[in-house]
Amino acid sequence: MANNVYTTSQPDLTISLACQPDFSTPNVSTFKHAPMTEYWDRLVTVGIKVEVVNTDVDHAQGLKKLGEHGDGSAANCPEDATANTREKVYWIATVVKVCGYLAKLRYEGYEDDTSHDFWMYLFSPDVHGVGWCASEGKTLVPPKNILKRLPDWTMYLIKKLTGARTLPADFDQLIKESLQPRFKTGMKLEVVDKNRVSSVRVATVTHSIGGRLRVEYDNCDNPLDAGFWTHERSPLVHPIGWAQFVSHELVATYEYARESLEKVTSKRFSPLDATWDMFDLPTNELPGGQRFEANMKLEAIDPLNLSTICVATVIKVLRCNYLMIGIDGSMCPSGSDWFCYHATSPYIFPAGFCKENKLQLTTPNNDPNFEWERYLAETGSKAAPACLFNKHMPEHGFKDGMLLEAVDLMQSRLVCVATVSKVVGRLLRIHFNGWDESFDQWCDCESPDLFPWGWCSLVGYPLEPPKSDDSESTQIQSPSDNQKRRRSSASKTKSSKKKKERRN
């Protein structure tokens, strides 16, 4: 039976999908914000040996046989082990494939026989570096299917393990350290107002899981709409005093506005304040000493409709090279849907970017004959010079068809099974498996809302399965969540209506 799943519990979603043909995922190191990103691809490679729980065993027979081999001793067999048929036993396995935090393993002794390969999380409590069983007094027993193949398994293992690599002894500790949060629950920060994206509000961290934060607005009138999930590295979260310092619109009391700016200038913060040194702030240096100017035209990903790249305008230039941007043809008169991107953001592009890369550009009034030169002349405006845009191209490992775990940013508490459907430089189009492609979203290759395969299992966060025609999501949702989440052909309505329904 090919691609068996040997685990101590029911096979989970990520393992079952990993068993599909042509399954492919990016390496853990591709995700710069992911746990163990600095170590995983160096420590976990094809060919390393591990000790893993053996579920293919007749305990009484296996222990007896192992004790009879080699020098006739049962050096690694506790005397009472045969009496306890429920005790876990282990065997050596080789990593034959790595996909995210998952590894396909093959028990030693099967040689080139792939029919018993199986997937396991390498952070599982049932996986250990070679030598762990000896130090813990655990039993090594060959799988029953190959038990009789060799007369001396001890000598076989000695030969196989000589010079072999394994997981470091402190592997579990490295994982724990990599999961330490940047922000603790109870900390204060400034975050975008999800119902008026042109503003930021003061919020408190109420939950922190694997770098993901649940933030709730202070002094919110509607407790059912009090916050959202985001990532600690998201551009939607800011340190205390950020709005006042960069001249961004802030919804807060006069006292907070004054005190927050004083904290920035004096560098004296309260113990629960999220301070500036806790953030990866963008650079203030732009090429050639040039700057964006108000009324410049560009192309931008609409944060309220992430499947589109739109004709947009720089409405206002804030301090530190932050820009307030609006989507041409759909801006609210009040400016409530203006959004803030930094000048170095990978989500803004020079005029002509979509045409150059053969992508669809959403234009004012959905003009099928849109031409930038004519539009600039008609509006009496100018395009932002191409030299102002971020041209840095990170080396990433994303390719079309790769699976990953991704946040649905329109319903941000959900992390879903997703596929990279298109790669344009550093820009990725993310498709949520089972849903209509009109709900795809554009993401940067360094987005903190993309995760390696198995991330949800590692940190204990629920993973949304692909939607099928005859099943609903396994997530428990409120009625309002269902309305926002509904991904059907009925959702393909006018842009303004789509924005309202999908705003998280």
Side-chain angles (χ1 to χ4, degrees), residues 240-496:
I240 293 297
W242 176 85
Q244 286 292 92
F245 187 78
V246 304
S247 302
H248 193 288
E249 182 178 318
L250 172 69
V251 178
T253 64
Y254 172 79
E255 289 75 15
Y256 172 84
R258 177 178 53 81
E259 292 174 2
S260 66
L261 185 57
E262 289 177 354
K263 289 178 178 180
V264 175
T265 55
S266 66
K267 298 183 180 180
R268 296 164 67 177
F269 293 88
S270 302
L272 289 178
D273 288 344
T275 55
W276 291 60
D277 60 331
M278 302 173 74
F279 293 79
D280 301 320
L281 298 173
T283 179
N284 286 329
E285 298 298 324
L286 294 182
Q290 298 188 57
R291 294 289 183 269
F292 282 93
E293 299 174 6
N295 298 319
M296 281 183 171
K297 301 291 185 180
L298 66 163
E299 298 176 8
I301 295 175
D302 182 354
L304 299 180
N305 187 359
L306 290 161
S307 66
T308 61
I309 303 177
C310 308
V311 174
T313 301
V314 177
I315 305 298
K316 190 186 300 184
V317 180
L318 310 181
R319 292 188 63 190
C320 301
N321 289 317
Y322 285 96
L323 312 173
M324 296 305 298
I325 296 173
I327 300 299
D328 286 21
S330 64
M331 279 184 267
C332 294
S334 65
S336 61
D337 59 354
W338 298 348
F339 49 92
C340 185
Y341 281 150
H342 192 265
T344 60
S345 170
Y347 297 121
I348 58 175
F349 317 97
F353 171 84
C354 284
K355 183 177 182 180
E356 179 182 349
N357 291 281
K358 299 180 180 179
L359 302 176
Q360 181 177 351
L361 176 66
T362 300
T363 61
N365 303 317
N366 294 315
D367 181 2
N369 299 314
F370 178 86
E371 292 289 342
W372 264 113
E373 185 175 352
R374 175 169 53 86
Y375 183 68
L376 293 173
E378 290 175 350
T379 57
S381 53
K382 64 178 181 179
C387 64
L388 293 179
F389 294 85
N390 185 357
K391 294 183 177 61
H392 176 59
M393 179 61 66
E395 292 185 6
H396 63 76
F398 292 104
K399 297 179 181 178
D400 292 2
M402 284 184 164
L403 269 71
L404 40 69
E405 299 174 11
V407 177
D408 176 359
L409 291 169
M410 295 296 101
Q411 184 64 18
S412 63
R413 68 183 181 83
L414 301 178
V415 178
C416 311
V417 174
T419 300
V420 178
S421 62
K422 193 176 187 63
V423 179
V424 183
R426 63 181 297 161
L427 195 62
L428 313 175
R429 191 168 178 88
I430 303 299
H431 173 71
F432 296 103
N433 291 27
W435 299 101
D436 188 88
E437 66 180 17
S438 64
F439 295 95
D440 292 359
Q441 59 190 32
W442 288 106
C443 286
D444 182 60
C445 66
E446 295 184 344
S447 168
D449 297 303
L450 304 177
F451 301 101
W453 198 248
W455 177 87
C456 282
S457 294
L458 171 63
V459 304
Y461 198 94
L463 177 65
E464 276 284 294
K467 185 181 182 300
S468 60
D469 294 336
D470 56 352
S471 67
E472 291 293 330
S473 165
T474 58
Q475 288 282 52
I476 299 175
Q477 300 177 338
S478 66
S480 61
D481 284 341
N482 277 320
Q483 290 175 357
K484 294 176 184 177
R485 179 68 174 162
R486 188 67 60 193
R487 294 180 182 268
S488 65
S489 58
S491 297
K492 297 180 181 179
T493 58
K494 293 182 179 179
S495 176
S496 60

Side-chain angles (χ1 to χ4, degrees), residues 46-83:
V46 171
I48 68 167
K49 312 289 187 182
V50 294
E51 294 177 350
V52 60
V53 68
N54 181 6
T55 59
D56 182 25
V57 64
D58 180 337
H59 284 70
Q61 181 183 6
L63 293 172
K64 180 180 178 181
K65 290 290 184 183
L66 189 67
E68 294 174 352
H69 293 318
D71 58 5
S73 67
N76 206 21
C77 302
E79 293 180 1
D80 61 347
T82 55

Side-chain angles (χ1 to χ4, degrees), residues 49-57 62 66 69 76 88-94 105-110 118 126-130 132-133 138-144 146-147 150 152-158 160-161:
K49 312 289 187 182
V50 294
E51 294 177 350
V52 60
V53 68
N54 181 6
T55 59
D56 182 25
V57 64
L66 189 67
H69 293 318
N76 206 21
K88 286 183 180 180
V89 295
Y90 296 80
W91 190 239
I92 307 296
T94 300
L105 303 178
R106 184 177 304 161
Y107 287 128
E108 287 297 337
Y110 278 110
F118 59 100
D126 289 331
V127 179
H128 306 277
V130 173
W132 178 85
C133 285
K138 300 297 181 180
T139 307
L140 285 173
V141 178
K144 63 182 180 182
I146 58 173
L147 182 62
L150 292 177
D152 191 343
W153 282 104
T154 302
M155 292 305 298
Y156 175 85
L157 288 184
I158 291 175
K160 285 289 184 179
L161 296 178

Side-chain angles (χ1 to χ4, degrees), residues 35-36 101 121 123 175 178-179 454-461:
M36 292 289 288
Y101 295 112
Y121 297 115
F123 53 77
I175 291 177
S178 71
L179 290 172
W455 177 87
C456 282
S457 294
L458 171 63
V459 304
Y461 198 94

